[in-house]
Amino acid sequence: MSLQSPPPGLLGRNLLKDTDLTKDEFLEVLDLAVLLREEKRARKEAERLYGLNIALIFEKSSTRTRSAFEVGAHDQGAHVTYLGPSESHLGHKESVKDTARVLGRMFDGIEFRGSAQADVEQLGAYAGVPVWNGLTDQWHPTQLLADVMTVRDHTTKPLESVVLCYVGDARNNTANSALVVGAMLGLDIRIAAPSSLQPSPDVRMIASDVAGKSGARVTVTDDVASAVIGADFLYTDVWLSMGEPTDQWGERIKLLLPYQVNTKLLEQTQNPEVRFLHCLPALHNTDTEIGKQLFAQYGVDALEVTDEVLESPASIVFDQAENRLHTIKAVMVATLRGH
């Protein structure tokens, strides 16, 4: 595939959940992302989206997702309009359906980052232009594109031989997407989490169905020690979700501390080449207001990952963060080129 020929089957399509892409389409987007990355680094980027207009709807704050969409769009010659939590009538004075039909008349593509999966689905159904899920409570498809791109960058194995183990709080969008995408791509995908914080039965059923076609090995367990053995990549996410009541923090921390990614856990993989992934932000020290609060209240200086691991050679989290830009740009080019 050349840079002049984005995946043709994706033109005009939405990306609302991970299963909106087939395995082949997912890999085609990654191949395009690699080429776009090479072009950007060489300062020879063509403006394939010149003159297009993109709306960015953010009900939840963001660093990487907003930056990736804005820089990616600008790199490709498009214009963006940012609509923050108080900057549109979406769901308040105007229904999602009506907003979709208005924005679809003005913009060539729409990104949505918020809570309800139903909202992004409704935008996708009524906008008449490509809609991309920048995060909902259920799925995080653009994140997994960056994650798998990073895995491919840091392994010589075929994806079907890669062991990726997600540890910690797994009843969230990132873990859901990791489980389903890992199953779709044929990985040995493992989730290690307390039983109360594992992916829902519905998500596990989707992963099981997809794995039946790809030959993936899917494991969900509360036994972190056995789950990490032989892992090529350990992946975790924050334990304290956006908007979660602070009075639940103590119980959550106590439950999840055995799943912290620390030096001991890296050693338990029995793989000296194991690499560490995190979609960020990470509570790995006391350099933030929340980090200071957690230390003062609970005596912990790190939550889901220690500072020692995040700053170690095993950590590839900033490569992963950069790849949000290249993969999101690839999604926009693949779905919008020709509009």
Side-chain angles (χ1 to χ4, degrees):
M1 180 185 65
S2 73
L3 277 174
Q4 302 305 312
S5 303
L10 295 180
L11 186 63
R13 295 255 299 275
N14 297 326
L15 178 57
L16 309 179
K17 55 188 181 299
D18 302 275
T19 52
D20 285 345
L21 299 176
T22 66
K23 177 180 179 179
D24 288 344
E25 289 169 343
F26 191 102
L27 296 176
E28 286 175 351
V29 171
L30 293 193
D31 289 341
L32 178 58
V34 169
L35 294 170
L36 290 169
R37 180 174 65 184
E38 292 173 354
E39 194 178 68
K40 181 176 176 67
R41 289 177 176 176
R43 302 295 182 185
K44 295 181 179 179
E45 194 157 2
E47 294 186 342
R48 295 164 186 81
L49 304 181
Y50 180 80
L52 298 187
N53 292 286
I54 294 169
L56 305 179
I57 302 173
F58 279 78
E59 293 183 340
K60 290 186 175 182
S61 61
S62 166
T63 298
R64 280 147 295 278
T65 302
R66 178 177 176 180
S67 298
F69 271 102
E70 289 200 1
V71 174
H74 291 149
D75 281 349
Q76 287 293 307
H79 306 284
V80 299
T81 297
Y82 174 80
L83 299 171
S86 62
E87 294 173 325
S88 79
H89 296 306
L90 180 71
H92 302 290
K93 288 179 65 178
E94 185 170 57
S95 69
V96 176
K97 180 178 177 180
D98 288 355
T99 300
R101 290 182 289 184
V102 170
L103 296 182
R105 299 290 186 97
M106 300 182 183
F107 293 93
D108 300 286
I110 301 169
E111 179 273 349
F112 173 85
R113 180 182 175 94
S115 297
Q117 179 68 21
D119 286 349
V120 77
E121 297 278 354
Q122 199 161 37
L123 283 171
Y126 290 99
V129 298
V131 173
W132 313 294
N133 179 353
L135 173 145
T136 64
D137 289 351
Q138 191 169 1
W139 303 110
H140 202 352
T142 61
Q143 179 64 52
L144 264 292
L145 284 162
D147 298 343
V148 179
M149 183 179 189
T150 310
V151 166
R152 294 205 314 182
D153 288 342
H154 288 273
T155 186
T156 57
K157 294 181 176 182
L159 286 176
E160 292 80 6
S161 298
V162 167
V163 180
L164 190 153
C165 183
Y166 180 101
V167 300
D169 181 0
R171 201 173 181 88
N172 61 30
N173 44 34
T174 302
N176 290 347
S177 288
L179 187 64
V180 170
V181 168
M184 179 174 70
L185 298 181
L187 276 64
D188 183 338
I189 179 71
R190 307 172 185 177
I191 300 283
S195 57
S196 61
L197 295 175
Q198 293 175 358
S200 70
D202 288 347
V203 171
R204 292 167 72 168
M205 181 63 70
I206 294 169
S208 178
D209 289 345
V210 174
K213 301 171 185 175
S214 70
R217 293 124 303 175
V218 176
T219 303
V220 178
T221 179
D222 61 1
D223 186 350
V224 65
S226 65
V228 301
I229 293 174
D232 298 299
F233 297 88
L234 293 183
Y235 192 176
T236 194
D237 195 0
V238 293
W239 294 350
L240 306 177
S241 301
M242 290 181 284
E244 187 172 58
T246 57
D247 60 8
Q248 297 179 11
W249 285 8
E251 182 179 348
R252 178 67 62 86
I253 292 168
K254 182 179 179 181
L255 182 63
L256 284 167
L257 272 177
Y259 298 85
Q260 183 185 69
V261 181
N262 48 38
T263 300
K264 179 181 177 181
L265 196 68
L266 292 187
E267 292 172 349
Q268 286 180 311
T269 67
Q270 302 176 20
N271 178 6
E273 301 300 318
V274 66
R275 294 292 179 261
F276 171 68
L277 296 163
H278 193 307
C279 57
L280 301 181
L283 287 169
H284 59 100
N285 56 31
T286 58
D287 291 350
T288 63
E289 291 181 8
I290 294 178
K292 289 181 175 67
Q293 180 182 348
L294 290 167
F295 183 74
Q297 196 166 350
Y298 303 106
V300 293
D301 59 7
L303 289 190
E304 70 276 3
V305 59
T306 61
D307 198 58
E308 184 178 13
V309 168
L310 190 130
E311 298 292 353
S312 75
S315 175
I316 52 176
V317 301
F318 298 108
D319 290 349
Q320 185 183 1
E322 179 193 339
N323 285 337
R324 292 298 306 283
L325 168 61
H326 308 304
T327 49
I328 281 173
K329 188 186 296 184
V331 168
M332 291 191 289
V333 169
T335 57
L336 288 178
R337 186 175 185 267
H339 277 225

